[in-house]
Coordinates of all heavy atoms in Angstrom, one line a residue:
A1 N 197.8 33.0 187.8 CA 196.5 33.6 187.8 C 196.6 34.8 186.7 O 197.6 35.4 186.5 CB 196.1 34.2 189.1
R2 N 195.4 34.9 186.0 CA 195.2 35.9 185.0 C 194.2 36.9 185.4 O 193.3 36.6 186.1 CB 195.0 35.3 183.6 CG 196.1 34.4 183.2 CD 196.0 34.0 181.8 NE 194.7 33.0 181.8 CZ 194.3 32.5 180.7 NH1 194.8 32.8 179.4 NH2 193.2 31.7 180.7
V3 N 194.4 38.2 184.9 CA 193.4 39.2 185.2 C 192.1 38.9 184.5 O 192.2 38.6 183.3 CB 194.0 40.5 184.7 CG1 193.0 41.7 184.7 CG2 195.3 40.9 185.5
Q4 N 191.0 39.1 185.2 CA 189.7 39.0 184.6 C 189.4 40.4 184.2 O 189.0 41.2 185.2 CB 188.7 38.4 185.5 CG 187.4 38.3 184.7 CD 186.4 37.6 185.7 OE1 186.7 36.9 186.6 NE2 185.1 37.6 185.4
R5 N 189.4 40.8 182.9 CA 189.2 42.3 182.5 C 187.8 42.6 182.6 O 186.9 41.8 182.1 CB 189.8 42.4 181.2 CG 191.3 42.0 181.1 CD 192.0 42.2 179.7 NE 191.3 41.3 178.7 CZ 191.5 41.3 177.4 NH1 192.2 42.3 176.8 NH2 190.9 40.4 176.6
P6 N 187.5 43.9 182.9 CA 186.2 44.5 182.9 C 185.8 44.5 181.4 O 186.5 44.8 180.5 CB 186.4 45.9 183.5 CG 187.6 45.8 184.2 CD 188.5 44.8 183.5
L7 N 184.5 44.2 181.2 CA 183.9 44.2 179.7 C 182.9 45.4 179.7 O 181.9 45.3 180.6 CB 183.3 42.8 179.4 CG 182.4 42.9 178.3 CD1 183.2 43.2 177.0 CD2 181.6 41.5 178.1
W8 N 183.1 46.3 178.9 CA 182.1 47.3 178.7 C 181.4 46.8 177.4 O 181.8 46.7 176.4 CB 182.6 48.7 178.5 CG 183.8 49.1 179.4 CD1 185.0 49.5 179.0 CD2 183.8 49.0 180.8 NE1 185.8 49.8 180.0 CE2 185.1 49.5 181.2 CE3 182.8 48.7 181.7 CZ2 185.4 49.6 182.5 CZ3 183.3 48.8 183.1 CH2 184.5 49.3 183.5
A9 N 180.0 46.5 177.6 CA 179.3 45.8 176.5 C 178.3 46.7 175.8 O 177.6 47.5 176.4 CB 178.4 44.7 177.2
S10 N 178.4 46.6 174.5 CA 177.6 47.3 173.6 C 177.5 48.7 173.9 O 176.5 49.3 174.2 CB 176.1 46.7 173.6 OG 175.3 47.1 172.6
T11 N 178.6 49.4 173.8 CA 178.7 50.9 174.2 C 178.3 51.8 173.2 O 178.8 52.8 173.0 CB 180.0 51.1 174.8 OG1 180.9 50.7 173.7 CG2 180.4 50.4 176.0
S12 N 177.2 51.5 172.5 CA 176.7 52.5 171.6 C 175.9 53.5 172.4 O 175.4 53.4 173.5 CB 175.8 51.9 170.5 OG 174.6 51.3 171.2
T13 N 175.8 54.7 171.8 CA 175.0 55.8 172.5 C 173.5 55.8 172.0 O 173.3 55.9 170.8 CB 175.7 57.2 172.3 OG1 177.1 57.2 172.6 CG2 175.0 58.3 173.0
K14 N 172.6 55.5 172.9 CA 171.2 55.4 172.4 C 170.5 56.8 172.3 O 169.7 56.9 171.5 CB 170.5 54.6 173.4 CG 170.7 53.1 173.3 CD 172.0 52.6 173.5 CE 172.2 51.1 173.6 NZ 173.6 50.8 173.8
N15 N 170.9 57.7 173.1 CA 170.3 59.0 173.0 C 170.9 59.9 172.0 O 172.2 60.3 172.1 CB 170.4 59.7 174.4 CG 169.6 61.0 174.6 OD1 169.5 61.7 173.5 ND2 169.2 61.3 175.7
P16 N 170.3 60.4 170.9 CA 170.8 61.1 169.8 C 171.3 62.5 170.3 O 172.1 63.2 169.6 CB 169.7 61.3 168.9 CG 168.4 61.0 169.6 CD 168.9 60.1 170.8
Q17 N 171.0 63.0 171.5 CA 171.4 64.2 172.0 C 172.9 64.1 172.7 O 173.5 65.1 172.9 CB 170.4 64.8 173.0 CG 169.1 65.2 172.4 CD 168.1 65.7 173.5 OE1 168.4 65.8 174.6 NE2 166.8 65.8 173.0
Y18 N 173.4 62.9 172.8 CA 174.7 62.7 173.4 C 175.6 62.5 172.3 O 175.3 62.1 171.2 CB 174.6 61.5 174.4 CG 173.8 61.5 175.5 CD1 173.3 60.4 176.3 CD2 173.2 62.7 176.0 CE1 172.6 60.3 177.3 CE2 172.4 62.7 177.1 CZ 172.1 61.5 177.8 OH 171.3 61.6 178.9
N19 N 177.0 62.7 172.7 CA 178.0 62.5 171.8 C 177.9 60.9 171.5 O 177.9 60.1 172.4 CB 179.3 62.8 172.5 CG 180.7 62.3 171.8 OD1 180.6 61.7 170.8 ND2 181.7 63.0 172.3
D20 N 178.1 60.6 170.2 CA 177.9 59.2 169.7 C 179.0 58.3 170.1 O 178.9 57.1 169.9 CB 177.7 59.1 168.2 CG 178.7 59.8 167.4 OD1 179.7 60.3 168.0 OD2 178.8 59.5 166.1
V21 N 180.0 58.8 170.7 CA 181.2 58.0 171.1 C 181.5 58.2 172.6 O 182.5 57.8 173.1 CB 182.5 58.2 170.3 CG1 182.3 57.7 168.8 CG2 182.9 59.6 170.3
M22 N 180.7 58.8 173.4 CA 180.9 59.0 174.7 C 181.2 57.9 175.5 O 182.0 57.9 176.5 CB 179.8 59.9 175.4 CG 178.5 59.2 175.6 SD 177.1 60.3 176.1 CE 177.3 60.3 177.8
Y23 N 180.4 56.8 175.4 CA 180.6 55.6 176.2 C 181.9 54.8 175.8 O 182.3 54.0 176.6 CB 179.4 54.6 176.1 CG 178.2 55.3 176.7 CD1 177.1 55.7 175.9 CD2 178.0 55.7 178.1 CE1 176.0 56.4 176.4 CE2 176.9 56.3 178.6 CZ 175.9 56.7 177.8 OH 174.8 57.3 178.3
V24 N 182.4 55.1 174.7 CA 183.8 54.6 174.3 C 184.9 55.4 174.8 O 185.7 55.1 175.6 CB 183.9 54.5 172.8 CG1 185.4 53.9 172.4 CG2 182.8 53.6 172.2
E25 N 184.8 56.7 174.6 CA 185.9 57.8 175.0 C 186.0 57.8 176.5 O 187.2 57.8 177.0 CB 185.5 59.1 174.5 CG 185.8 59.3 173.0 CD 185.6 60.6 172.5 OE1 184.7 61.4 173.1 OE2 186.2 61.0 171.5
D26 N 185.0 57.6 177.3 CA 185.1 57.9 178.6 C 185.4 56.6 179.5 O 185.6 56.6 180.7 CB 183.7 58.4 179.2 CG 183.5 59.9 178.8 OD1 184.6 60.5 178.5 OD2 182.4 60.4 178.9
L27 N 185.6 55.4 178.7 CA 185.9 54.1 179.4 C 187.2 53.5 178.8 O 187.2 52.3 178.8 CB 184.6 53.3 179.2 CG 183.4 53.7 180.0 CD1 182.2 52.8 179.6 CD2 183.6 53.9 181.5
I28 N 188.1 54.3 178.3 CA 189.3 53.7 177.8 C 190.3 53.5 179.0 O 190.7 54.5 179.8 CB 190.0 54.6 176.8 CG1 189.0 54.8 175.6 CG2 191.3 54.2 176.3 CD1 189.4 55.8 174.6
G29 N 190.9 52.4 179.1 CA 191.9 52.0 180.1 C 192.6 50.7 180.0 O 192.1 49.9 179.2
P30 N 193.6 50.5 180.6 CA 194.3 49.2 180.5 C 193.5 48.0 181.1 O 192.6 48.2 181.9 CB 195.5 49.3 181.6 CG 195.7 50.8 181.7 CD 194.3 51.4 181.5
D31 N 193.6 46.9 180.4 CA 193.0 45.7 180.7 C 191.4 45.7 180.7 O 190.7 45.0 181.3 CB 193.4 45.3 182.3 CG 194.8 45.0 182.4 OD1 195.3 44.2 181.4 OD2 195.5 45.4 183.3
T32 N 191.0 46.6 179.9 CA 189.5 46.7 179.6 C 189.2 46.1 178.3 O 189.9 46.1 177.3 CB 188.9 48.0 179.7 OG1 189.5 48.9 178.8 CG2 189.2 48.6 181.1
V33 N 187.9 45.7 178.1 CA 187.4 45.1 176.7 C 186.1 46.0 176.5 O 185.3 46.2 177.4 CB 187.0 43.6 176.8 CG1 186.5 43.2 175.6 CG2 188.3 42.8 177.2
N34 N 186.0 46.4 175.2 CA 184.8 47.1 174.9 C 184.2 46.6 173.7 O 184.9 46.5 172.6 CB 185.2 48.7 174.7 CG 184.0 49.6 174.5 OD1 183.0 49.2 174.0 ND2 184.1 50.8 174.9
T35 N 182.9 46.1 173.8 CA 182.3 45.6 172.6 C 181.4 46.6 172.0 O 180.5 47.2 172.6 CB 181.5 44.4 172.9 OG1 180.5 44.7 173.8 CG2 182.4 43.3 173.5
M36 N 181.7 47.0 170.9 CA 180.9 48.1 170.2 C 180.3 47.5 168.9 O 180.8 46.8 168.1 CB 181.9 49.2 169.8 CG 182.6 49.9 170.9 SD 183.9 51.0 170.2 CE 185.4 49.9 170.3
P37 N 179.1 48.2 168.6 CA 178.4 47.8 167.4 C 179.3 48.5 166.3 O 179.9 49.5 166.6 CB 177.1 48.4 167.6 CG 176.9 49.1 168.9 CD 178.1 48.9 169.5
E38 N 179.0 48.0 165.0 CA 179.8 48.6 163.9 C 179.6 50.2 163.7 O 180.6 50.9 163.5 CB 179.4 47.9 162.7 CG 180.1 48.2 161.5 CD 180.0 47.3 160.2 OE1 179.2 46.3 160.4 OE2 180.3 47.8 159.2
Q39 N 178.5 50.7 164.0 CA 178.2 52.0 163.8 C 179.0 52.9 164.8 O 179.6 53.9 164.4 CB 176.7 52.4 164.0 CG 176.4 53.7 164.0 CD 174.8 54.0 164.2 OE1 174.0 53.1 164.2 NE2 174.4 55.2 164.5
T40 N 179.1 52.3 166.0 CA 180.0 53.0 167.0 C 181.5 53.0 166.6 O 182.2 53.9 166.8 CB 179.7 52.5 168.3 OG1 178.3 52.6 168.7 CG2 180.5 53.3 169.5
I41 N 182.0 51.9 166.1 CA 183.3 51.7 165.7 C 183.7 52.6 164.6 O 184.7 53.4 164.7 CB 183.7 50.2 165.2 CG1 183.5 49.3 166.5 CG2 184.9 50.1 164.5 CD1 183.5 47.7 166.0
T42 N 182.8 52.8 163.6 CA 182.9 53.7 162.5 C 183.0 55.1 163.0 O 183.8 55.9 162.6 CB 181.8 53.5 161.5 OG1 181.7 52.2 161.0 CG2 182.0 54.5 160.3
A43 N 182.1 55.5 163.9 CA 182.1 56.9 164.4 C 183.4 57.1 165.3 O 184.0 58.3 165.1 CB 180.9 57.0 165.4
F44 N 183.8 56.1 166.0 CA 185.0 56.4 166.8 C 186.3 56.5 165.9 O 187.2 57.3 166.1 CB 185.3 55.2 167.9 CG 186.4 55.4 168.8 CD1 186.1 56.3 169.9 CD2 187.7 55.0 168.7 CE1 187.2 56.6 170.7 CE2 188.7 55.3 169.5 CZ 188.4 56.1 170.6
K45 N 186.3 55.8 164.8 CA 187.4 55.8 164.0 C 187.4 57.2 163.2 O 188.4 57.8 163.0 CB 187.3 54.8 162.8 CG 187.7 53.4 163.1 CD 187.6 52.5 161.9 CE 188.2 51.1 162.0 NZ 187.9 50.3 160.9
D46 N 186.3 57.7 163.1 CA 186.1 59.0 162.4 C 186.5 60.1 163.4 O 187.2 61.1 162.9 CB 184.7 59.2 161.9 CG 184.5 60.6 161.2 OD1 185.2 60.9 160.2 OD2 183.6 61.4 161.8
H47 N 185.9 60.2 164.5 CA 186.2 61.4 165.3 C 186.4 61.1 166.9 O 186.4 62.0 167.7 CB 184.9 62.3 165.2 CG 183.6 61.7 165.5 ND1 182.9 61.1 164.5 CD2 183.0 61.7 166.5 CE1 181.9 60.6 164.9 NE2 181.7 60.9 166.3
G48 N 186.8 59.9 167.1 CA 187.0 59.5 168.6 C 188.3 59.9 169.0 O 189.2 60.1 168.2

């Protein structure tokens, strides 16, 4: 049997008053998958 990993889908931050990588930074863990739009990936690479 294999683990069915949790998927955090489209974790961009919609509210401009929030940290633009908050939904990525706060959901990092083993066996998880995070689908991010390109803008969020770029932001995370820069300051995540």
Side-chain angles (χ1 to χ4, degrees):
R2 294 186 294 175
V3 170
Q4 183 176 347
R5 300 181 294 167
L7 169 67
W8 317 128
S10 191
T11 52
S12 63
T13 304
K14 281 64 170 180
N15 187 331
Q17 296 178 5
Y18 297 164
N19 175 345
D20 62 349
V21 294
M22 68 187 274
Y23 296 110
V24 178
E25 286 184 330
D26 289 339
L27 296 176
I28 298 172
D31 293 315
T32 62
V33 177
N34 191 328
T35 63
M36 296 173 265
E38 190 172 342
Q39 178 181 344
T40 303
I41 292 169
T42 301
F44 190 79
K45 282 179 167 179
D46 178 62
H47 54 272

